């Protein structure tokens, strides 16, 4: 069942996100076919699929903690672990390609420039601040992926799961936002790109309730 959930999440993002034409402000079969048939070249397809991987990974991570997961996953005790593992694999692929594609560019600046992140975030120039925002985005992605790895592979202690999962989702969402904003901090994603925010919100609310109940005497 979890494999089907992962496949459906990926397919929905591929169709509804990739096929959206910003100029026409609607779905376009041309945009989708450009990607799936490599009409614009392999590089274009890989870039678009990488965006889908990022969206799908965050969605799968959040779905592992939404309130009705026990119902739509047929109360499978291993479903949450499987969803987390799938999220980890998808996000790791997204991170690996992004590092390969964008290292040394604006999205992932050279590591030796990172000590300037604080001064960049407070710089008077919006474009310089954006460089700091991109570095912050990469830091949140690295920390978030580390937490997902801990949840999915290293079997985090049960008592720490709500707080750890909440942090992982928050970091992943913050990475998505800070990577996609422009120098005016305006989020310019296609409409379906907002879906992970809503799912992450539902998951975060659930985790906050779980965290409250676990701390309540």
């Amino acid at each position: 069942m979890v494999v089907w959930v992962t496949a459906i999440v990926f397919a929905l993002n591929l169709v509804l996100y990739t096929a959206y034409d910003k100029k026409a402000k609607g779905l376009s079969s041309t945009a989708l076919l450009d990607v799936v048939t490599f009409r614009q070249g392999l590089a274009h397809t890989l870039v678009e699929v990488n965006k889908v991987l990022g969206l799908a990974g965050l969605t799968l991570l959040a779905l592992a903690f939404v309130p009705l997961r026990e119902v739509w996953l047929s109360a499978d005790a291993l479903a949450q672990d499987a969803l987390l593992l799938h999220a980890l694999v998808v996000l790791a692929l997204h991170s690996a390609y992004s590092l390969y594609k964008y290292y040394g560019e604006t999205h992932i600046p050279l590591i030796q420039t990172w000590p300037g992140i604080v001064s960049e975030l407070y710089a008077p120039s919006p474009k310089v601040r954006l460089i700091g925002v991109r570095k912050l985005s990469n830091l949140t992605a690295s920390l978030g992926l580390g937490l997902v790895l801990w949840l999915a592979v290293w079997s985090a202690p049960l008592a720490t799961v709500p707080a750890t999962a909440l942090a992982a989702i928050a970091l992943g969402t913050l990475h998505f936002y800070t990577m996609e904003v422009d120098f005016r901090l305006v989020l310019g994603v296609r409409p379906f790109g907002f879906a992970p925010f809503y799912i992450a919100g539902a998951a975060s609310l659930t985790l906050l309730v779980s965290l409250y109940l676990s701390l309540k005497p």
Side-chain angles (χ1 to χ4, degrees), residues 45-122:
T45 294
L46 290 176
V47 167
E48 292 299 316
V49 169
N50 190 51
K51 294 177 183 178
V52 171
L53 288 174
L55 292 168
L58 179 57
T59 302
L60 291 171
L61 173 61
L63 283 175
F65 300 99
V66 294
L68 296 178
R69 64 178 184 277
E70 290 87 355
V71 177
W72 58 263
L73 287 173
S74 304
D76 185 351
L78 299 177
Q80 187 179 66
D81 291 341
L83 271 175
L84 286 171
L85 186 58
H86 287 198
L88 174 63
V89 171
V90 171
L91 290 171
L93 288 172
H94 170 70
S95 300
Y97 179 79
S98 296
L99 186 62
Y100 162 77
K101 176 70 176 178
Y102 299 113
Y103 182 70
E105 300 181 7
T106 305
H107 286 81
I108 309 180
L110 293 170
I111 192 68
Q112 57 264 36
T113 68
W114 285 50
I117 183 173
V118 175
S119 61
E120 289 164 350
L121 286 171
Y122 289 96

